[in-house]
Amino acid sequence: ASARSVVKEHEEELKTSRDREEAHEAALASVSDLNCKLLTQAEDEQKLALLHQSQLQQDVGAAHEALEEARTQEMLLDAQLVHARERLDEVLKREASKVEELENELSRLTAMSASFQVDLDIAQGNQNSSRLTLEEEWAQRARAQEDTWSTREVQ
């Protein structure tokens, strides 16, 4: 009986040990399953991260190209601006020269006009003098004619 009781005790320990082993195997399978899921999820996240990284690299490359294009465009625009300023300066100098020439011509014409006005005033003064002289001469002739008629009438 004592051997049976020892055997029974060992059988119960064996059964408990098997139950624990099954529980451990179930836990191990559960951990393994969870590990597989986590690995799969990590791989998926890694793939997404790689895709995202690749997209970011493409975006950075496109942004760099756009920046280079903008810099090139800026240099072209700067060159055009410099050229436009040079042309504007040339046009302004030509126009300033023309304005100066016109001002000089206006001054010359104003001086000539003043000179002509003086000459005109002198000529009008001479003409008025001549008129007075002619009027006096006509008046003298008219008086002489009247005298001649008066003398004829008296005779």
Side-chain angles (χ1 to χ4, degrees):
S2 140
R4 280 188 191 170
S5 122
V6 169
V7 168
K8 196 172 187 181
E9 224 176 84
H10 284 301
E11 283 178 351
E12 282 184 21
E13 278 182 25
L14 183 62
K15 184 179 177 188
T16 304
S17 180
R18 283 185 187 155
D19 288 345
R20 267 188 274 168
E21 186 179 335
E22 286 176 6
H24 283 119
E25 284 180 8
L28 185 60
S30 176
V31 167
S32 178
D33 185 48
L34 181 61
N35 193 24
C36 285
K37 286 179 182 176
L38 289 174
L39 281 175
T40 302
Q41 185 179 1
E43 287 173 354
D44 290 345
E45 288 176 2
Q46 184 181 15
K47 288 176 186 175
L48 285 173
L50 287 173
L51 285 173
H52 186 66
Q53 181 182 8
S54 174
Q55 183 63 44
L56 287 175
Q57 286 174 340
Q58 288 176 358
D59 291 348
V60 166
H64 185 71
E65 288 176 15
L67 178 62
E68 287 302 314
E69 179 64 29
R71 286 179 179 158
T72 301
Q73 197 68 7
E74 179 185 19
M75 289 187 332
L76 289 172
L77 290 173
D78 282 344
Q80 289 175 351
L81 180 61
V82 167
H83 181 68
R85 283 183 178 157
E86 289 171 353
R87 288 183 57 211
L88 178 61
D89 287 344
E90 291 171 7
V91 168
L92 289 174
K93 285 178 186 175
R94 277 197 311 267
E95 293 302 314
S97 176
K98 287 179 183 178
V99 166
E100 186 178 347
E101 288 175 13
L102 289 172
E103 287 174 344
N104 290 339
E105 183 66 15
L106 179 61
S107 294
R108 187 182 69 78
L109 290 174
T110 302
M112 284 177 61
S113 174
S115 175
F116 287 149
Q117 187 63 45
V118 168
D119 291 346
L120 181 61
D121 290 345
I122 291 171
Q124 284 177 343
N126 289 341
Q127 186 179 21
N128 288 339
S129 293
S130 295
R131 265 194 206 134
L132 290 175
T133 306
L134 283 175
E135 287 174 1
E136 289 173 2
E137 186 179 325
W138 285 344
Q140 285 177 359
R141 284 186 184 172
R143 276 183 258 143
Q145 186 66 34
E146 285 176 11
D147 288 343
T148 306
W149 285 336
S150 299
T151 322
R152 285 191 188 160
E153 288 177 4
V154 174
Q155 289 177 349

